[in-house]
């Protein structure tokens, strides 16, 4: 695909917009792409699709610079070509007859929720969004999510919005919900799982990947129902029912 | 010009996805027609279902990767029922990679697969570095490799390819042992054992600590082993380890491979097998060959 | 914060140019002051002058290289007279790498070097893959490794580091054997055996056909061996194999190395040793260490 | 160093001009530099210095695209930075009281002879140059050498100049000489050695290298005098007396 733009939108967090036919193949919010960032690296790197614009054949991802690959990615410029494989995986299912949902994003995990918010909004679902970040410098996409509904921000250090984590925020603000969609660090997803065992929800999880298509069994995760075989995050996920997987 | 015959395998071309890098074919069948492949090797199959090692199971290294999958597979009964039956619809030689924790398990799994009549050959994986109770221990002692191969040979009529571990002092000794025990071919090489530490946590990146190293990093080691084993056995070799393109295929075949396995390259470029197959004829011509068979062992001529 | 003590070696820092990648120091002394190094390991020394293998002796591989130098060196008498005497002027622990075709040769060379009183330690190279009549055969059998180490130990008072070959089924067994025989330390790893074929000629690129693989490609294998040997012996390890920067040094020391050898990286960046030495203090701080000694074996804590 | 220009001057043959302090350290024609072309490659690549301009801090090399490294090098552009180590090795010695010399270059081996021709010319030595190439498409630097003396060109296929190799040309044209400087393919150097055993001369030879400074013993070559130890091409050469080495 061709890079349309690649901008730092918060400290070490970038928004990358890509153009190519691949954008038209995306089926669900929550799917991901697998990028061969540089031939210096051996493996591809998976990133959630954050926004899709099929008429312009564009998609966007948000990424955080955490290692060599994302560092190289951050140095790419508009006009550069980049080897992208996808779209991959199963995204967030849209449930009929739901009037209101809660999106809970942690850190860079806000990415796949954004396209989801857009789609839910289009279906006239009321979207409440809770986003948690380490600190003010890491806050992204607040105003973007506000387009589609109410947005609450929590920061661990209290430098912006609510001081604390997303669950403390939900509890404190007494936000009620029947359906939850979430993506974020493992610890956060685990806490959500424990807290809301009775509630219907979906989470997008991460695991180290090689193939990204279900062929190598690198990205296994265990189902709660021990009689079932392992899931493959890349093929059977990355989105799972909140209480179906062991996180 | 790419056609080849190996024991039990009528290959349209020498390109065979390597075990563990292609599942049981389903995922790649969504990307391209599997019938264009020379053959297909399945993920390792054990008697019972296995869940493999804890994650992370994948780590990147310089021009390579470590994996510690640990033989995750649905068990031989499931494999026959759901995977091999599904594969039947392709006109493609199927090689099933067999693993186990005991010689008995190898024999039993092999027998069940043979009985299913769904496959063309077995590849005995005596070289998996990722499980404590199996795999590699059978591949590092010539005597055990011999006994294992012989035990399967006596009970099973399918062509047997034995996949050897490169983590040994003397690969020739082991290759000769499995030949003597009745192997029809040798697959070379499985992964080298490696480790990566996470500088932040101080701990191994892989939950299993160690993993198998594959990719271009290991190619020179693989070429050397294929070259030496070719000089010392009379059965054909399926060569693998780091192949990324058609030129690498040629290098392995020069060294003595009759066909090649494409492993981790499938992860980087999911279309690598069809691409190599498409490029091979021209490459052969460029180097003055009329037929792929001329290339086998060319370095020794 | 970088200072360390190993048997016979007072190191200013853990950075030691590896044998064969630094000659006898003269060439690099024209580039920087050798006194900044932790220590220096010489090229392998044999009894008589050796010319080594025919050329080409060097081939590039993916993130690595093959060499088939074959122990070229001027012989122990010349080394003492021209090289070790010259090195005397530096305030630097000198480790002499010793090789041979027989246990007697190892003993004899070691005795002569010990007698010269010019060096701080010996490194017994029982792992050179590049000569037929010596080196590696001593390093692939635990018993022979034991006998060789013991023979030198009995005749020589210098601290002995034994450099092991990674081309073995069981590195722990060999490490334990040399420890039992009286080694003061273990150097890990020497090169893996590899080969590259030239597609045009069809022949091996190296005149010697096979060569030793070094560089980042082999780092995961080296880390794994250091990690495992650390758990099984009580003598210190000099770790090496693919180190390119200060982070790699940390990884080796986490795995259990007390000091590290920098080999082929010297060819790519001739200033790599001083650069790493300069970067280490900040890197240690970044990862929360106050002293290099805290890092040794950190992955096991 | 910084790339000033990088041009294809004949089929697959490029002239690369570099600028940097390194240029000022060059002592002799015939020395070489060791280039880290790309971090995709592990080893540096050695190239003879072809021309030096110390006042502008520039040097030039000529290179032929033969493999991955030179292919990548050919894609570099003016303004790009490149990691160069050198100058390395011993070059061509200038001999006092010589009035006339013969330079014999084969293929890309013409490179180090050009700076030599310049220096000899400056010392008022008469320079005759014989250059051999595979074919017309490979001919380089004819007019450049003509600045410093008479130039004879041979091509193997006869597509330009004399048909045949350099030795046939020298014999046919009855070029006489007392001192010869040469660089080119091994076969050519070997033939020169056999033919002109009695004549004083210098040859620059190639060997696969790793360190380039004499520390790894990768680039050995044997002296004709078997009582001497091996030479290292990178340190003791690449220029040797015509009849001192076994080529
Ligand atoms: C389905 C999925 C979606 C993701 N979506 C995003 C996203 O939208 N934005 C974002 O910033 N990050 C996302 N990640 C994480 C992202 O893939 C890693 O941060 C990235 O691969 C790190 O690469 P690196 O070279 O910078 O780091 P390195 O640590 O140098 O990477 C080394 C290796 O580890 C793997 N790796 C490292 N961290 C992870 C991880 N958390 N998950 C999986 N593999 C990892 C890489 O693939 C690589 O093979 C996602 C991961 C998965 C599995
Ligand atoms: C002292 C010296 C001076 C040279 N001067 C020139 C010059 O002026 N112009 C020019 O075009 N070439 C010159 N060469 C040859 C040049 O170094 C090789 O053509 C180049 O390294 C090939 O790199 P590659 O990656 O394109 O080819 P590859 O074949 O992919 O290279 C693979 C490996 O082989 C080595 N190698 C390949 N060929 C040679 C060779 N002939 N000599 C030494 N190492 C080699 C490379 O260093 C590399 O490690 C010189 C070589 C030496 C030793
Ligand atoms: C993720 C992964 C899983 C593997 N699983 C198996 C396996 O089940 N059985 C087996 O014999 N080899 C297995 N291998 C080894 C490969 O078949 C192959 O021998 C090795 O990876 C070297 O080839 P490559 O460098 O092309 O990947 C696996 C390799 C990888 C990378
Ligand atoms: C050109 C070359 C020559 C070597 N010569 C020796 C030697 O004489 N003795 C020895 O014990 N090891 C020798 N080695 C091995 C290195 O000391 C080191 O163990 C190995 O290269 C791995 O480290 P590296 O990846 O940092 O190069 C040599 C390595 C290279 C590349
Ligand atoms: S990454 Fe290969 S199965 Fe998921
Ligand atoms: S290249 Fe290392 S000695 Fe010449």
């Amino acid at each position: 695909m061709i890079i349309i733009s690649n901008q730092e939108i918060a400290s070490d967090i970038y928004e990358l917009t890509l153009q190519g036919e691949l954008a038209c193949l995306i089926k669900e919010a929550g799917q991901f792409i697998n990028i061969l960032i540089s031939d210096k690296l051996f493996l591809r790197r998976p990133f959630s699709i954050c926004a899709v614009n099929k008429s312009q054949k564009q998609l966007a991802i948000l990424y955080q610079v955490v290692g060599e690959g994302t560092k190289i990615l951050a140095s790419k410029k508009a006009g550069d070509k980049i080897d992208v494989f996808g779209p991959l995986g199963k995204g967030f299912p849209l449930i009929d007859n739901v009037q209101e949902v809660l999106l809970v994003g942690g850190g860079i995990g806000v990415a796949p929720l954004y396209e989801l918010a857009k789609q839910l909004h289009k279906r006239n679902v009321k979207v409440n969004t809770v986003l948690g970040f380490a600190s003010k410098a890491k806050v992204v996409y607040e105003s973007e999510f506000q387009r589609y509904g109410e947005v609450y921000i929590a920061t661990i250090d209290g430098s912006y919005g609510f001081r604390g984590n997303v669950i403390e925020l939900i509890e404190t603000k007494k936000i009620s919900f029947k359906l939850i969609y979430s993506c974020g660090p493992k610890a956060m997803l685990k806490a959500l799982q424990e807290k809301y065992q009775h509630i219907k929800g979906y989470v997008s999880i991460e695991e180290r990947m090689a193939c990204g298509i279900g062929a190598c069994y690198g990205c296994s995760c265990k189902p709660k129902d021990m009689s079932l075989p392992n899931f493959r995050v890349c093929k059977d996920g990355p989105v799972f029912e909140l209480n179906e997987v062991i996180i | 010009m790419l056609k080849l015959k190996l024991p039990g395998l009528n290959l349209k071309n020498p390109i065979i996805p390597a075990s563990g890098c292609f599942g049981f074919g389903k995922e790649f069948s969504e990307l391209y027609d599997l019938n264009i492949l020379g053959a297909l090797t399945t993920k390792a199959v054990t008697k019972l279902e296995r869940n493999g090692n804890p994650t992370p199971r994948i780590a990147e290294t310089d021009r390579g990767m470590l994996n510690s999958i640990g033989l995750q597979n649905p068990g031989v009964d499931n494999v026959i029922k759901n995977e091999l039956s599904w594969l039947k619809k392709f006109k493609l030689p199927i090689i099933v990679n067999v693993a186990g924790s005991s010689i008995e398990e190898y024999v039993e799994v092999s027998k069940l697969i043979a009985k299913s009549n769904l496959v063309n050959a077995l590849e005995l994986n005596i070289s998996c570095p990722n499980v404590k109770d199996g795999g590699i221990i059978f591949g590092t002692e010539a005597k055990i490799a011999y006994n294992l191969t012989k035990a399967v040979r006596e009970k099973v009529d399918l062509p047997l390819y034995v996949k050897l571990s490169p983590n040994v002092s003397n690969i020739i000794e082991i290759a000769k042992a499995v030949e003597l025990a009745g192997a029809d071919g040798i697959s070379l090489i499985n992964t080298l054992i490696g480790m990566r530490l996470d500088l932040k946590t101080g701990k191994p990146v892989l939950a299993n600590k160690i993993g198998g190293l594959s990719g271009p990093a290991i190619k020179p080691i693989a070429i050397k082993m294929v070259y030496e084993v070719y000089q010392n056995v009379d059965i054909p070799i399926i060569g693998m380890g780091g192949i990324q393109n058609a030129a690498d295929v040629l290098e392995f075949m020069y060294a003595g491979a009759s066909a090649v396995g494409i492993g981790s390259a499938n992860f980087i470029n999911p279309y690598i097998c069809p691409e190599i197959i498409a490029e091979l004829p021209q490459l052969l011509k460029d180097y003055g060959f009329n037929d792929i068979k001329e290339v086998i062992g060319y370095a020794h001529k």
Side-chain angles (χ1 to χ4, degrees), chain A residues 34 36 38-45 66-69 83 85 88 186 206-223 226-232 235, chain B residues 20-24 27-28 30-31 43 49-52 55-65 69 72-74 196 198 200 205 214-216 244 264-265 267-271:
Chain A
N34 219 355
L36 192 59
S38 149
D39 47 20
K40 271 175 69 182
L41 305 170
F42 189 59
L43 295 171
R44 290 175 179 269
R45 302 290 194 265
V66 296
E68 217 192 328
D83 180 344
F85 180 55
L88 302 171
K186 273 201 175 159
E206 289 186 6
E207 199 47 75
R208 294 201 181 223
M209 294 183 174
C211 72
I213 58 171
C216 77
Y217 306 146
C219 63
S220 273
C221 74
K222 288 202 187 304
M226 303 226 316
S227 73
L228 292 176
N230 278 0
F231 293 128
R232 292 159 301 176
K235 181 84 178 175
Chain B
C21 303
F22 213 75
F24 293 89
E27 297 76 21
F28 282 90
E30 293 169 20
L31 300 178
K43 174 72 189 162
E49 180 185 341
R50 292 205 193 186
N51 277 325
T55 57
R57 298 178 180 184
I58 302 283
E60 188 175 76
T61 68
D62 249 296
R63 293 297 285 155
M65 61 174 283
I69 311 296
Q72 175 177 341
N73 81 98
R196 227 191 82 189
D198 182 321
K200 277 182 209 131
V205 172
S214 60
Q244 303 292 299
S264 18
F267 309 153
I268 288 79
N269 176 1
Y271 298 97

Side-chain angles (χ1 to χ4, degrees), chain B residues 117-143:
Chain B
N117 258 323
L118 291 165
V119 315
N120 304 75
L122 297 177
E123 181 176 67
L124 302 179
N125 173 5
I126 59 167
S127 43
C128 177
N130 287 321
V131 289
K132 282 196 190 63
D133 60 344
I136 201 162
I137 55 156
F138 301 108
T140 42
E141 290 272 356
K143 189 146 190 187

